[in-house]
Amino acid sequence: MATKCRYCPLQRKELFVRMSKDDLEFMQKFKAGELTVEPGTPILMEGSNAPQLFTALSGMGIRDKMLENGERQVLNFVFPGDFIGLQAGILGKMGHSVEARTHMRLCVFNRSEFWQFFKSNPARAFDITWLAAIEEHFLGETLASVGQRTAIQAIAWALVKIFQRGDALGMVTNNQMELPYTQRDLADALGLSLVHTNKTLGKLKDRQLASWSDRMLQINDVKSLADIAIMSLEKAPQRPFL
């Protein structure tokens, strides 16, 4: 059975702004249902005219774009609370694909109701704008890493970002979190070769700063890793969700 909005598991996490009773009632009317998908399942396909939008209630996924020569660029990783399908909602079709990497539960909204959503609740519509802005900001950081950071700096930056997001969602225990991605995924996100990525991760492990094996990421010293990445450690701001 679909989860009632007032019982939404995201409401209990400190990372997210708690919705008011009125907002919960509004979202319940907008919600079309829930979808459960297995690892490896495509959620949205590049170029598709998707009729539905989603919020990830649980599980993790990946956003990527395929080039005509078969090469792939990973855009970012999907965490609980992320809104999926905004491009299709605004532009009519997806410019990238989204795939589940773990068992995922998705809150489903009909795209046909999207414009009514904006008209009926401007405050909630602003939340969508906020989510789009924060994603644009993240892509800017990623581009800076690809263009200006060395391999070890870029990988350190990515691991810190992933670890911080996981920690804010309560996914970190004893400095460890499950990471259902591959080194190829990380390499394709940062514009690095798989060999270079593997060797760089080995250097971080040798320094006893971070290790990633058997789908488990362990970071022993976040501050030192952030120093390598030339980044400041800041607490993640509370974010809205749909």
Side-chain angles (χ1 to χ4, degrees):
M1 294 180 62
T3 306
K4 297 292 185 181
C5 290
R6 64 178 180 272
Y7 300 129
C8 179
L10 301 178
Q11 276 275 100
R12 300 191 294 269
K13 297 186 181 297
E14 292 184 5
L15 177 61
F16 300 109
V17 178
R18 292 185 66 84
M19 291 189 207
S20 66
K21 181 180 178 181
D22 288 344
D23 281 343
L24 288 170
E25 291 177 355
F26 174 80
M27 293 306 301
Q28 187 64 60
K29 294 176 183 177
F30 184 53
K31 180 175 178 175
E34 284 183 16
L35 178 67
T36 300
V37 296
E38 298 299 322
T41 302
I43 298 171
L44 291 170
M45 296 295 292
E46 183 176 345
S48 66
N49 186 10
Q52 295 174 322
L53 312 172
F54 308 94
T55 289
L57 290 179
S58 63
M60 300 171 72
I62 193 167
R63 290 184 173 99
D64 59 17
K65 182 175 182 62
M66 296 298 296
L67 303 181
E68 292 184 3
N69 63 358
E71 295 297 323
R72 180 184 69 147
Q73 177 66 48
V74 171
L75 302 179
N76 60 22
F77 303 112
V78 177
F79 285 84
D82 283 354
F83 190 48
I84 305 170
L86 181 59
Q87 275 191 354
I90 299 295
L91 303 177
K93 66 178 183 179
M94 290 295 296
H96 61 265
S97 298
V98 184
E99 177 185 298
R101 283 303 177 88
T102 68
H103 179 92
M104 293 187 73
R105 192 156 51 99
L106 305 166
C107 192
V108 181
F109 309 101
N110 287 327
R111 200 185 81 186
S112 60
E113 302 293 327
F114 200 52
W115 298 116
Q116 186 62 37
F117 181 94
F118 274 79
K119 291 168 60 178
S120 301
N121 195 327
R124 292 261 68 200
F126 180 80
D127 288 341
I128 294 178
T129 305
W130 192 96
L131 292 171
I134 200 69
E135 186 169 326
E136 180 183 2
H137 175 74
F138 178 77
L139 289 174
E141 287 191 75
T142 304
L143 182 59
S145 292
V146 171
Q148 301 301 324
R149 286 186 168 99
T150 64
I152 195 167
Q153 290 169 346
I155 288 176
W157 171 83
L159 294 183
V160 169
K161 283 292 187 180
I162 291 170
F163 197 76
Q164 283 186 310
R165 185 73 183 278
D167 192 32
L169 287 165
M171 300 166 65
V172 173
T173 303
N174 296 326
N175 296 326
Q176 293 183 326
M177 69 171 286
E178 182 180 358
L179 195 60
Y181 306 114
T182 65
Q183 289 188 18
R184 168 63 70 184
D185 293 331
L186 184 61
D188 287 349
L190 298 173
L192 301 171
S193 71
L194 181 59
V195 171
H196 201 172
T197 299
N198 180 268
K199 289 182 177 180
T200 304
L201 287 168
K203 291 178 181 178
L204 293 175
K205 183 177 181 180
D206 290 342
R207 297 187 192 183
Q208 298 185 343
L209 295 177
S211 62
W212 178 17
S213 61
D214 299 325
R215 296 168 59 93
M216 192 67 64
L217 172 65
Q218 177 169 330
I219 294 185
N220 302 315
D221 190 339
V222 178
K223 177 63 169 61
S224 294
L225 205 60
D227 289 342
I228 290 174
I230 320 174
M231 64 183 294
S232 300
L233 284 177
E234 299 176 354
K235 183 179 179 180
Q238 277 195 310
R239 53 192 290 151
F241 69 96
L242 298 186

